[in-house]
């Protein structure tokens, strides 16, 4: 059963004729007149409300979302690539009723990793993102209960704030260049434990810290577990670039690998996202049906002048913990064989 929405689309300040409808499969189909994107800014971000009855309004912008009108009911969230031509776009998103289970999975994965791997006298790398919040909370609980002596190295402003907020010992790579363990999240994990990271814009510092750790452990909800990169995560591979070089870098990537490069724009901010390092982020949306050699792709993109780092984490992961809505945890890793607890 389709539920219909009245859609107002905005592109570069002009209104576009659009209609929208959402299916029980959580797929939003948007039919809109988006022609001539001029090769840039072809991403969109949708934030909408499922309305009881009719008359709901939401904006579809190619880089920025805003909510309009009086809405009630379930939230629908999505961001992803746009369409060059008129026609339909099928958009996978998550209804708020499913997000409770996802949060339960994040918490289960974080607690399982912290309880199973964190030990006294360790130097820990603390990643960034929503799942890391649960990990830091559990680390703080164990420090208080067990009197653990730990030093925590942050990967971002967010991570530093979490460490200080929970009264953990804050360290830095200058003093602790070798880490016992780094715990971080991921946007997607493939069958070989290769990662796409950088959805939160912290990929460079995350990779530096991970490279200094004896073991990198990923914690995520089960939706991040894929066979191939791009199977589920459709926003593309984040690439941090020097601001001066973002247009040449986008052109070179598109010429060599095709797909679409989108300069990531800020929400509730005029202009692009600026990383903790003062750089921009390009999201390269690639053809996920192709058989990519990700190590080669990462190496070649890094050779482009102006590229600081890519969100491809290749051959770096020790184990990945995936939490499910029933609080079960699936663990995949190079050393220990895959195992499950309580379903999933």
């Amino acid at each position: 059963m389709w539920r219909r929405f009245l859609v107002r689309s905005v592109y570069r300040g002009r209104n576009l004729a659009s209609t929208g409808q959402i299916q029980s499969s959580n797929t939003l189909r948007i039919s809109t007149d988006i022609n001539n994107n001029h090769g840039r800014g072809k991403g969109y971000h949708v934030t909408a409300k499922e309305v009881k009855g009719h008359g709901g309004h939401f904006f579809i912008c190619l880089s920025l979302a805003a909510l309009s009108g009086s809405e009630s009911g379930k939230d629908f969230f999505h961001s992803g690539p746009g369409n060059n031509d008129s026609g339909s776009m099928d958009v996978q998103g998550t209804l708020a009723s499913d997000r409770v289970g996802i949060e339960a999975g994040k918490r289960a994965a974080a607690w399982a990793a912290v309880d199973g791997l964190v030990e006294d006298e360790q130097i820990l790398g603390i990643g960034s993102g929503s799942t890391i919040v649960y990990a830091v909370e559990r680390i703080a609980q164990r420090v208080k209960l067990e009197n653990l002596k730990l030093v925590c190295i942050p990967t971002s402003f967010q991570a530093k704030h979490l460490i200080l907020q929970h009264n953990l010992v804050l360290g830095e790579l200058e003093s602790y260049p070798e880490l016992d363990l780094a715990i971080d999240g991921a946007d997607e994990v493939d069958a070989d434990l290769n990662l796409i990271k950088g959805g939160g814009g912290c990929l460079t510092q995350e990779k530096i810290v991970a490279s200094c750790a004896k073991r990198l452990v990923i914690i995520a909800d089960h939706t991040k577990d894929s066979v191939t990169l791009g199977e589920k995560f459709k926003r593309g591979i984040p690439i941090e670039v020097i601001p001066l070089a973002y247009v040449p870098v986008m052109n070179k990537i598109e010429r060599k690998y095709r797909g679409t490069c989108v300069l990531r724009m800020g929400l509730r901010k005029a202009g692009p996202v600026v990383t903790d390092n003062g750089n921009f982020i390009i999201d390269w949306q690639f053809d996920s049906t192709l058989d990519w050699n990700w190590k080669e792709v990462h190496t070649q993109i890094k050779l482009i002048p102006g590229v600081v780092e890519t969100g491809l984490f290749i051959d770096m992961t020790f184990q990945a913990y995936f939490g499910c809505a029933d609080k079960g945890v699936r663990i995949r890793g190079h050393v220990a064989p895959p195992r499950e607890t309580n379903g999933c």
Side-chain angles (χ1 to χ4, degrees), residues 244-264:
L244 173 69
Y246 83 92
V247 170
V249 169
M250 289 196 297
N251 289 337
K252 289 170 183 176
I253 292 173
E254 288 181 349
R255 279 199 299 265
K256 186 173 182 65
Y257 295 112
R258 300 188 179 277
T260 302
C261 288
V262 179
L263 179 64
R264 189 182 298 182

Side-chain angles (χ1 to χ4, degrees), residues 294-313:
W294 288 120
K295 187 172 185 178
E296 177 67 17
V297 170
H298 163 73
T299 300
Q300 291 301 314
I301 291 178
K302 280 289 296 284
L303 290 174
I304 299 174
V307 170
V308 177
E309 191 52 86
T310 84
L312 288 167
F313 284 53

Side-chain angles (χ1 to χ4, degrees), residues 29-92:
R29 175 164 291 159
I30 306 160
S31 300
T32 186
D33 180 21
I34 304 178
N35 288 307
N36 189 17
N37 283 342
H38 307 291
R40 294 283 174 254
K42 290 179 280 191
Y44 61 85
H45 186 97
V46 178
T47 304
K49 294 279 188 176
E50 180 185 351
V51 181
K52 310 290 185 184
H54 64 279
H57 297 264
F58 60 84
F59 287 99
I60 303 168
C61 299
L62 295 187
S63 59
L64 183 63
L67 220 53
S68 172
S70 176
E71 300 91 359
S72 63
K74 300 175 181 177
D75 294 328
F76 176 89
F77 302 91
H78 179 77
S79 60
N83 194 342
N84 266 330
D85 306 310
S86 301
S88 296
M89 294 178 283
D90 288 345
V91 182
Q92 284 299 125

Side-chain angles (χ1 to χ4, degrees), residues 308-325:
V308 177
E309 191 52 86
T310 84
L312 288 167
F313 284 53
I314 309 301
D315 298 330
M316 297 183 70
T317 306
F318 170 68
Q319 285 182 333
Y321 286 62
F322 300 101
C324 299

Side-chain angles (χ1 to χ4, degrees), residues 12 20 35 94 164 225 276 303 336:
R12 291 189 176 178
N35 288 307
T94 304
L164 295 174
D225 189 7
D276 288 354
L303 290 174

